[in-house]
Amino acid sequence: MSWQAYTDNLVSSGKIDKAALYSRAGDSLWAQSSNFQLDPKEITGIAKGYDDPSDLQAHGLHVQGQKYMLLRADDRSIYGRLDAEGVVAVRTKQAILIAHYPAGVVAGEATTVVEKLADYLISVNY
């Protein structure tokens, strides 16, 4: 399966409207949905946030020029929310999955979709 198929599967879930897959360091884009482009500073900030979330806690989570309130940041998952929409970023052994869910989607349903894909990638050593 190509990397693009993973982002397409997230979007086809109906819970995610935009998704991207980056290298674990955040320095290489592997796949993305057509309407989801992150600034290099944004992905770098997310990648660094897994090991030291202090900057995200102080300044928020930035994705596509929008500032999201940080809800969670640990060594695996980073969640952000802006009004009724949100962002889920999950780190695996070799990758970072980043997904956006629109207003009208329950946050827990969106995070479950992304976390399950991350679990799968981890299970196959990615």
Side-chain angles (χ1 to χ4, degrees):
M1 185 182 296
S2 75
W3 292 119
Q4 188 63 45
Y6 292 109
T7 57
D8 294 345
N9 284 343
L10 286 172
V11 173
S12 72
S13 72
K15 305 297 179 191
I16 303 298
D17 64 348
K18 306 177 215 178
L21 186 63
Y22 285 85
S23 66
R24 183 177 168 108
D27 57 1
S28 176
L29 174 65
W30 294 356
Q32 70 185 38
S33 53
S34 62
N35 55 349
F36 199 52
Q37 179 108 20
L38 272 69
D39 182 274
K41 289 180 183 178
E42 293 173 340
I43 185 59
T44 300
I46 291 169
K48 289 179 180 177
Y50 291 105
D51 297 318
D52 179 9
S54 61
D55 191 57
L56 295 176
Q57 292 164 340
H59 304 289
L61 173 63
H62 291 83
V63 175
Q64 287 194 296
Q66 291 289 323
K67 180 180 176 182
Y68 291 78
M69 180 178 68
L70 184 67
L71 300 176
R72 173 183 178 167
D74 59 36
D75 62 354
R76 174 187 161 105
S77 304
I78 296 174
Y79 302 165
R81 189 160 181 97
L82 174 66
D83 298 325
E85 61 187 65
V87 173
V88 179
V90 183
R91 182 169 73 169
T92 68
K93 293 177 181 178
Q94 297 184 39
I96 299 173
L97 289 163
I98 302 174
H100 176 273
Y101 60 90
V105 172
V106 176
E109 294 175 353
T111 58
T112 298
V113 169
V114 182
E115 294 280 358
K116 282 185 177 181
L117 178 54
D119 288 341
Y120 169 74
L121 291 174
I122 291 167
S123 77
V124 294
N125 292 317
Y126 278 102

